[in-house]
Amino acid sequence: QQISKADRPIMGEAIPLIVFRAFRHFSSDYVEEIMGRGVNVVFQNGGRELGKEVGANLYQSDIHEYLSGVIQWVADAKIGVLKPAELSDSRLVVQLDECITCAGMDPIGKRICHFEVGLVAGVVEAFIKRKVPAEETKCGANGEHTCEVTVRLK
């Protein structure tokens, strides 16, 4: 809630995508250089915390209504176009088209959407009330044309 407050009467809340991406990519590269591989869990956990907050605010007891609200929030926040690809007792798979972090980038040979993975995990955790493992199983930056997050529910 605190980070949503802005006092920018002339500039407004929107920023160009290039500014956001520069911050995300350079921050990620710098933190990895200083702290080593695997540090991107920091970005994933940031997304997870946001996802839990969003999930708590959007909570509906019906999973389909809940997911519909999450999908709309992700679109409104211009994070991307979230599409459930699979929902079973054991896992949830969602695709994120037009991903804010990587859509349209030339392939760089790795998956980089750690924040988005955390965001999806967080909204799932807000619904089922426990921590879940999640991983990026596709990424536009890896040449896979969409981002895909797989969450293990069991």
Side-chain angles (χ1 to χ4, degrees):
Q1 188 175 3
Q2 182 64 21
I3 63 171
S4 67
K5 294 179 181 177
D7 184 12
R8 293 174 43 113
I10 295 170
M11 300 305 294
E13 293 183 13
I15 62 168
L17 186 59
I18 187 70
V19 173
F20 171 81
R21 284 188 175 175
F23 175 76
R24 274 290 293 285
H25 293 279
F26 295 144
S27 295
S28 179
D29 290 347
Y30 179 72
V31 170
E32 187 172 337
E33 181 181 313
I34 298 297
M35 301 179 76
R37 296 199 71 192
V39 76
N40 284 316
V41 72
V42 170
F43 296 98
Q44 185 171 338
N45 285 341
R48 185 182 303 267
E49 290 304 314
L50 176 60
K52 289 192 292 190
E53 288 289 324
V54 168
N57 288 331
L58 298 175
Y59 185 81
Q60 298 281 325
S61 60
D62 178 84
I63 184 67
H64 300 290
E65 288 179 23
Y66 179 68
L67 285 176
S68 180
V70 170
I71 290 165
Q72 188 61 54
W73 184 90
V74 169
D76 291 347
K78 304 214 181 295
I79 294 170
V81 179
L82 191 65
K83 301 176 188 176
E86 178 187 332
L87 176 59
S88 69
D89 289 340
S90 61
R91 71 185 198 154
L92 169 68
V93 179
V94 296
Q95 293 178 335
L96 183 64
D97 294 340
E98 299 187 35
C99 174
I100 191 172
T101 298
C102 72
M105 287 178 54
D106 290 334
I108 59 172
K110 62 182 180 177
R111 295 178 177 147
I112 62 170
C113 299
H114 314 290
F115 183 84
E116 291 80 358
V117 171
L119 178 71
V120 171
V123 296
V124 170
E125 290 173 6
F127 186 79
I128 66 174
K129 310 287 191 250
R130 65 176 170 79
K131 192 166 181 161
V132 294
E135 66 179 319
E136 188 174 21
T137 45
K138 290 183 184 177
C139 183
N142 200 39
E144 296 164 306
H145 306 292
T146 190
C147 290
E148 183 178 86
V149 178
T150 299
V151 181
R152 287 195 314 267
L153 303 173
K154 289 187 173 186

